[in-house]
Amino acid sequence: MARRCALLLAGVLTALPALPAAGATVTLVCSGLGMSFDLCRDGAQDWARRSGNEVRFVSPPKGAGEQLALYQQLLAAGSPDIDVFQIDVVWPGILGNYFVDLTGRAGPDTVRRHLPAMVEAATVKGRLVALPWFADAGLLYVRKDLLDAYGRPVPETWEALQETAALIQRGERAAGRERMWGYVWQGRAYEGLTVNALEWIASRNGGTIVDPDGAITIDNPRAAEALAMARGWVGSISPPGVLNYMEEEARGVFQSGNAVFMRNWPYAWTLVNAADSAVGGKVAVVPLPKGGPDGRHTATLGGQMLAVSKFSAHPDEAADLALHLTGEAEQKRRAIHGAANPTIPALYEDAEVLAANPFFAELAESVAGAVNRPAQATGIRYNQVSAEFYANVHEVLTGRRDAQAMLPGLKEALVRISRGGRW
């Protein structure tokens, strides 16, 4: 197994310029995608200069599933090859047993600076197994020019979005723009559908599938109402093909000028306003709608964290690197130069950060109200829970099943996965 893990890493290690030999060599997983890698590299290089240590990089697989599988292989084998792991916000419950408890190294003052939801996501059975690095939260992208043209306000509720989307869609099609749709989102049977459906349900105060204590809460009338409403969008205000959309498919429709509203992550802001975008300068971002008058604005929390392997030969240096990269100064630099969304709320009020990213003012509300997927409560079984959830939701969206009739069976399946609620 150790030899297999070494082979998996072969060819992906990239060393920074050599520094004093007395320092430790710390290996860090950084996203290998464009600006994200550059931001990570520059921050790590700054730490290396300051500390006298050396940093090597591992570029992980692009797909989240493949990345998690690689991590699980390395960690299960006790491999010391990676010291600091970049992990998804839903992975602490799956991988946390392999990571160092950073509670003492971070200290309470450092922990308190981060978004509570991110700290909650990073904490497994009282252990802080990762440090929040950057946050994501779902946003509603709005064609403000079309709202102005039709005299419609930004929708506060899903009901208002449905009405406004249908009105503008009819008007635009009557004017000859036959490809116009009211609302695009992520409806494919994958993790993104778990994210979207959780937003619909939580906005109606219908719970989070499994609550923090492990109780399965999905079988309730508010959840049924939310899913039934979304089913009604398909083929009316949303294209039938939305049932196979991921983030980029939704962005493609919206950015080409063929949708009034879009649910997506903050990454899409720069792209929809690019020079070659058909909607550049015509878009606003706002919090996702409430689920009716007694509902709430909410978004599913996304993001990335840094965790230190308990098999690291240099746990102190690795923890110091993670603390540096997740610290306030580094998060501010990443926000200004790369539009990375901070996990430190104070930075959403920083004048320099807002000058570089005006939409962060709206993003702050969505991040602050974000809801966690039930990854902590379900632990190593989260992937099974999510797969069962999105598969059943997809059946409702296709019209093959009724929302209210589906939920009791989904609850029973989750009880089996939980081993009778023991998780």
Side-chain angles (χ1 to χ4, degrees):
M1 176 67 83
R3 183 174 182 273
R4 177 179 173 84
C5 291
L7 289 172
L8 286 168
L9 291 176
V12 297
L13 292 175
T14 304
L16 290 172
L19 288 159
T25 298
V26 178
T27 301
L28 164 70
V29 174
C30 272
S31 169
L33 301 176
M35 175 63 76
S36 296
F37 178 80
D38 293 343
L39 289 170
C40 179
R41 177 202 61 207
D42 293 347
Q45 191 166 21
D46 179 58
W47 174 82
R49 281 193 298 265
R50 292 168 183 261
S51 66
N53 296 306
E54 183 181 353
V55 179
R56 294 191 302 172
F57 294 103
V58 171
S59 296
K62 291 182 180 180
E66 294 84 354
Q67 187 174 334
L68 177 59
L70 172 62
Y71 287 4
Q72 288 174 314
Q73 278 190 291
L74 291 169
L75 291 166
S79 171
D81 291 333
I82 295 176
D83 301 289
V84 181
F85 285 82
Q86 177 181 338
I87 64 170
D88 189 274
V89 70
V90 296
W91 292 350
I94 299 172
L95 301 175
N97 288 339
Y98 297 114
F99 295 145
V100 170
D101 183 0
L102 297 169
T103 304
R105 288 179 168 91
D109 290 341
T110 295
V111 173
R112 276 194 294 266
R113 292 193 186 103
H114 292 278
L115 290 160
M118 291 293 287
V119 174
E120 178 188 337
T123 303
V124 179
K125 297 179 180 178
R127 300 172 63 247
L128 184 69
V129 299
L131 295 171
W133 195 19
F134 60 89
D136 259 341
L139 293 170
L140 183 66
Y141 287 73
V142 176
R143 281 287 301 276
K144 60 185 180 181
D145 61 321
L146 291 177
L147 291 186
D148 291 344
Y150 285 82
R152 304 293 293 186
V154 171
E156 280 289 308
T157 65
W158 289 111
E159 290 79 3
L161 180 145
Q162 182 172 282
E163 179 186 356
T164 298
L167 173 72
I168 297 177
Q169 179 178 300
R170 285 194 303 271
E172 291 298 289
R173 289 185 176 184
R177 288 175 279 279
E178 296 180 355
R179 298 178 65 187
M180 178 63 72
W181 289 96
Y183 183 43
V184 292
W185 37 283
Q186 295 78 50
R188 186 172 180 173
Y190 79 119
E191 183 68 17
L193 181 54
T194 293
V195 165
N196 279 251
L198 180 56
E199 289 165 345
W200 307 331
I201 293 168
S203 74
R204 289 184 179 274
N205 298 309
T208 56
I209 308 169
V210 178
D211 75 13
D213 294 327
I216 297 166
T217 62
I218 188 58
D219 184 12
N220 69 79
R222 291 179 181 265
E225 289 172 10
L227 296 178
M229 170 170 270
R231 166 66 188 113
W233 299 337
V234 180
S236 59
I237 62 170
S238 300
V242 78
L243 297 179
N244 202 38
Y245 281 12
M246 298 172 71
E247 285 82 358
E248 282 296 271
E249 288 81 9
R251 182 181 68 81
V253 174
F254 185 82
Q255 190 167 324
S256 63
N258 292 320
V260 183
F261 300 109
M262 173 181 70
R263 184 269 174 212
N264 217 318
W265 301 103
Y267 86 94
W269 172 257
T270 302
L271 298 171
V272 301
N273 285 292
D276 61 349
S277 171
V279 296
K282 302 176 182 179
V283 178
V285 290
V286 297
L288 290 166
K290 297 189 295 184
D294 62 342
R296 60 187 177 121
H297 295 289
T298 192
T300 301
L301 185 70
Q304 297 281 304
M305 304 179 176
L306 295 179
V308 176
S309 170
K310 70 178 185 181
F311 306 115
S312 170
H314 307 288
D316 292 332
E317 291 84 354
D320 193 57
L321 172 58
L323 284 164
H324 173 82
L325 291 174
T326 59
E328 186 165 347
E330 178 63 11
Q331 288 206 23
K332 179 175 178 177
R333 182 189 70 83
R334 289 169 54 85
I336 291 172
H337 296 290
N341 312 312
T343 65
I344 298 173
L347 291 175
Y348 289 93
E349 301 175 1
D350 184 281
E352 293 176 296
V353 171
L354 290 174
N357 306 281
F359 80 100
F360 270 23
E362 287 77 20
L363 178 60
E365 183 177 347
S366 293
V367 170
V371 62
N372 276 316
R373 283 162 277 179
Q376 280 62 46
T378 58
I380 61 173
R381 292 173 178 80
Y382 171 74
N383 280 355
Q384 293 173 268
V385 169
S386 181
E388 190 71 31
F389 177 68
Y390 66 62
N392 278 272
V393 170
H394 198 263
E395 288 286 292
V396 171
L397 296 176
T398 62
R400 288 192 284 265
R401 302 190 66 186
D402 172 78
Q404 189 170 355
M406 175 274 289
L407 290 176
L410 172 58
K411 179 181 178 180
E412 290 179 9
L414 297 184
V415 168
R416 288 194 297 272
I417 292 171
S418 74
R419 301 174 303 163
R422 295 189 299 274
W423 293 115

